[in-house]
Amino acid sequence: MDASTPAVVGPDQGERLWFLGTTATILIDGARTGGRYGAFHGLLPFDAAPPLHSHPQDESFYLLAGEVSMWIGDLPERRLGPGAMAFAPGGTPHTFRVETETAEMLVLSTPAGIEEYVRALGEPAQRPGLAPQGGPRDLERIAAVEQELQFVRHGPRPPAAAAPGG
């Protein structure tokens, strides 16, 4: 993958997916950028949190709305609000937890690849807004996708968050 093509993605465009209880809209993928980077917008509900994990790609998070607690490598826990940006170098264990009713963030994968994890485990969103909560999760499929894309789990998700405002 060495060819890239110009692109402009409007506010209602992108590939909107329900992804493990969140809504992710893939804006630019590696096929478009020659593998240089991928980008998606995440809309996440209160207490959404992935397990402590790493992957080969660098991952950057730009918080657009809401607040999250972020853990990256040996850095102490940090609470981030709108306008904050966090960077997890490839191979560095990291996670986050949504502390407000919702959070929105732009996630960048350099090189591309993290958006393929979202695509592999997501399903087309049936409507705008948050994904429906609950439902079965195919743990074997998640494990297979993680192995294929070199995602490594280092621990569980962070403990549950305190209710917003409480």
Side-chain angles (χ1 to χ4, degrees):
M1 221 188 317
D2 58 0
S4 59
T5 57
V8 175
V9 180
D12 293 323
Q13 297 177 325
E15 182 181 359
R16 189 180 303 128
L17 302 167
W18 286 338
F19 168 66
L20 302 177
T22 71
T23 301
T25 303
I26 298 175
L27 303 169
I28 300 285
D29 64 12
R32 182 64 57 119
T33 66
R36 290 182 186 93
Y37 79 97
F40 65 92
H41 172 270
L43 174 60
L44 304 103
F46 169 71
D47 201 38
L52 184 66
H53 68 282
S54 65
H55 34 71
Q57 301 86 356
D58 295 344
E59 189 170 22
S60 299
F61 306 86
Y62 181 76
L63 200 60
L64 300 164
E67 293 184 358
V68 300
S69 291
M70 180 79 62
W71 295 265
I72 302 174
D74 293 333
L75 294 177
E77 174 186 350
R78 295 285 306 268
R79 186 141 174 173
L80 307 176
M85 186 161 194
F87 172 68
T92 303
H94 60 282
T95 189
F96 62 84
R97 180 183 62 221
V98 176
E99 303 290 351
T100 49
E101 185 176 334
T102 61
E104 290 186 59
M105 62 176 72
L106 177 65
V107 181
L108 301 173
S109 169
T110 48
I114 297 169
E115 77 282 6
E116 293 306 323
Y117 180 75
V118 171
R119 187 175 275 145
L121 294 174
E123 62 182 79
Q126 302 302 310
R127 57 175 168 69
L130 283 172
Q133 295 299 302
R137 296 241 167 100
D138 185 342
L139 299 180
E140 287 182 19
R141 173 145 175 72
I142 293 170
V145 168
E146 288 177 346
Q147 181 176 5
E148 177 185 343
L149 298 178
Q150 301 177 38
F151 278 56
V152 177
R153 288 183 185 230
H154 298 274
R157 59 162 269 148

